[in-house]
Amino acid sequence: MSLLDSGLSTESLGYLNYLRRLLTQPAGSWEGFYQAQSPSMNFALRYQLAFASYSVAAMSQYTPAYRAPYAEALRGGLEKMLDVATWGYWRVPEPASTPGGGLASSGHVAVLVSPHQRAPVGPPSDPIARDNLQYSGHLSTMLGLYEKVSGDRTYDVPFMLHDPESGASYTYTHSEVAERIYSQMRENDFGGVCCERGMAYVPCNNYSLASNTLHDALHGTEYSWANGRWLKTVRDKMALHGPAMRGIFGASYMKDLHVATPIAFNFTDVWGLAFLLPFDCHLVRKLYGKFKKKVAHAGSHGAYIASSQFSERMEISDVPINTGFGLILARGMGDGKLASALQRYSQEAFGASWEGGEYFLKGALRTLHSTALFALAQSVEPGGENFTELFHAAPHHSPSPTLERVEGDAGRVGVFQAEYNTQERTLRLGLRTVGAAADLRNLRPAYVTLVVAGVTSRSTVEIDRTMLATEALSRDVAGSLRFGVEVPSGQDTCCMLRAV
């Protein structure tokens, strides 16, 4: 079944409007982002940017002949990822100051031991050179998804991470970032990459796997062969045995001691499982029953993934974020009953609601972070096939006609379907006004102009089965076809462009 058979839901279009607005803010503007107490912990800017980007990329799968809003949002997320406000937390202490391997100086451990400690002085260190997969893994995955969705190879030429205050600068390309990750996976006897000094986590290393598969799909490398060594470590040393209450994964693998910590958090368990699904579905299925025993049920209100007061105070996790990961996992596993319960609970508890054409979780303290996860979950097909394809499948950029942009009342209108059928030589577009159903009932129709690129032959256009007159079609200076469409409020509008 084609994704076009269902298309994006109205809520997904609202999620897209919200995420796109925040990701494409001007440089230096962080409206709507949560400002974490410690950039070393789990609510920092890099995570908000990464999950918002993964959600946008997943939604783009439903409109393969319309990529512009997704590419714009992903490019915006990347530019903010390269801002020193995101990566400047990384400061590697001098070796002499960290005897014994420096575990106590690594990010999470240091914060847990001394939550009010000051960051090391001096300019920020290179955040990609070694360790710090909590940044480099997400950056590489975002670079891969941007190129895959947009076809733009901008980041295959050198780009810079620059700190204006200190003058520190580090130059990379997408391939150089991916190669740094791959090289460390080869060098480390445990097969993964340290997320911070001496510590490797299951969730972070999911993005070393994604970095490899995406770079292989885009650039023809064979980095993915290294994935198996880390996955063996997860199976042999990270997966905890015993009752469900003990947890699923040791919170971290300690490189110098060659063992995993014997404690677990709901957060690292559910995040680890959700994003491990595209890379080791057999292991996830084996552990899924254990995970379900950790789900908290709230009667008719649904279900959620709990978070301790300590975890929330230390910014390790919270209930909306845990539950968002749980919903991704449940949908990826094809567990409709649990997915429905998690969705039902979130609607009320996390304040999922509309504000104009944007849909987001107003009641979640980390609004962007939580909304991104629920938006991603909404895009995951039951069974997770398209979630796996997101990180593995080769890009497909056909020269066929594509919707280039929507002009006019674009803020009110969303494109929920866009696909070109090569056999029928037909571009099918689905348009819909976006917002709460009650708000749309009495609104006037929206008027937009569709600009379609790649139309090289004479074509006809039907709007809701009514043929447009030839004089209603025009060409711009670039040769793109232009025509106007009226979109009634609260109704779907179907456009069909056929080559004659």
Side-chain angles (χ1 to χ4, degrees), residues 77-109:
L78 270 172
E79 290 302 309
K80 287 191 172 299
M81 196 72 168
L82 300 178
D83 191 309
V84 70
T86 303
W87 62 267
Y89 69 94
W90 187 247
R91 286 169 164 80
V92 179
E94 293 297 327
S97 67
T98 56
L103 277 181
S105 70
S106 64
H108 284 69
V109 173

Side-chain angles (χ1 to χ4, degrees), residues 205-490:
N205 271 277
N206 286 335
Y207 307 101
S208 65
L209 309 180
S211 171
N212 288 342
T213 58
L214 281 165
H215 197 270
D216 287 355
L218 292 162
H219 295 277
T221 50
E222 297 182 351
Y223 291 171
S224 297
W225 78 265
N227 291 0
R229 294 180 64 238
W230 167 249
L231 292 172
K232 186 175 188 305
T233 295
V234 174
R235 288 174 176 270
D236 295 348
K237 297 186 176 182
M238 301 291 286
L240 299 175
H241 302 286
M245 63 179 296
R246 190 180 176 211
I248 296 171
F249 298 120
S252 65
Y253 180 84
M254 295 180 285
K255 175 183 177 181
D256 297 332
L257 301 179
H258 308 288
V259 295
T261 56
I263 60 171
F265 295 96
N266 279 354
F267 174 73
T268 48
D269 282 348
V270 68
W271 175 12
L273 285 172
F275 275 81
L276 187 60
L277 188 59
F279 306 101
D280 196 340
C281 63
H282 298 293
L283 178 59
V284 175
R285 292 187 183 282
K286 180 179 178 181
L287 298 172
Y288 186 67
K290 195 174 185 180
F291 156 76
K292 289 186 69 173
K293 294 177 182 178
K294 302 275 286 181
V295 175
H297 294 273
S300 61
H301 295 287
Y304 61 93
I305 313 299
S307 176
S308 69
Q309 290 185 352
F310 171 80
S311 291
E312 297 200 11
R313 186 169 64 252
M314 299 306 298
E315 295 194 334
I316 294 172
S317 67
D318 68 15
V319 173
I321 290 174
N322 286 6
T323 305
F325 282 122
L327 184 57
I328 294 169
L329 176 59
R331 285 183 63 87
M333 291 293 296
D335 187 346
K337 183 177 180 180
L338 178 57
S340 178
L342 294 169
Q343 186 73 53
R344 189 165 65 252
Y345 182 88
S346 70
Q347 290 292 118
E348 181 177 346
F350 310 146
S353 55
W354 288 93
E355 188 170 295
E358 297 182 0
Y359 190 69
F360 55 100
L361 274 59
K362 294 183 181 179
L365 178 60
R366 290 95 192 177
T367 306
L368 172 57
H369 199 156
S370 303
T371 298
L373 295 175
F374 279 84
L376 175 56
Q378 182 96 321
S379 299
V380 174
E381 289 180 307
E385 182 178 352
N386 69 326
F387 192 34
T388 298
E389 290 177 350
L390 182 64
F391 302 106
H392 290 265
H396 176 66
H397 297 289
S398 169
S400 307
T402 57
L403 179 60
E404 186 177 347
R405 61 186 182 274
V406 180
E407 298 177 347
D409 259 339
R412 290 183 52 204
V413 174
V415 179
F416 69 90
Q417 294 180 341
E419 187 168 74
Y420 183 75
N421 186 310
T422 53
Q423 292 182 332
E424 299 177 0
R425 301 179 68 194
T426 299
L427 175 65
R428 180 182 176 189
L429 305 172
L431 309 178
R432 179 186 298 151
T433 51
V434 182
D439 296 336
L440 296 177
R441 290 193 188 109
N442 299 316
L443 290 180
R444 62 174 177 80
Y447 295 90
V448 295
T449 297
L450 304 187
V451 182
V452 180
V455 182
T456 57
S457 60
R458 190 167 64 87
S459 301
T460 62
V461 175
E462 291 182 12
I463 300 177
D464 290 335
R465 299 186 178 182
T466 298
M467 188 80 69
L468 281 186
T470 303
E471 54 268 25
L473 307 177
S474 64
R475 298 265 185 176
D476 61 20
V477 293
S480 296
L481 189 67
R482 299 170 59 91
F483 55 93
V485 181
E486 176 182 322
V487 184
S489 188

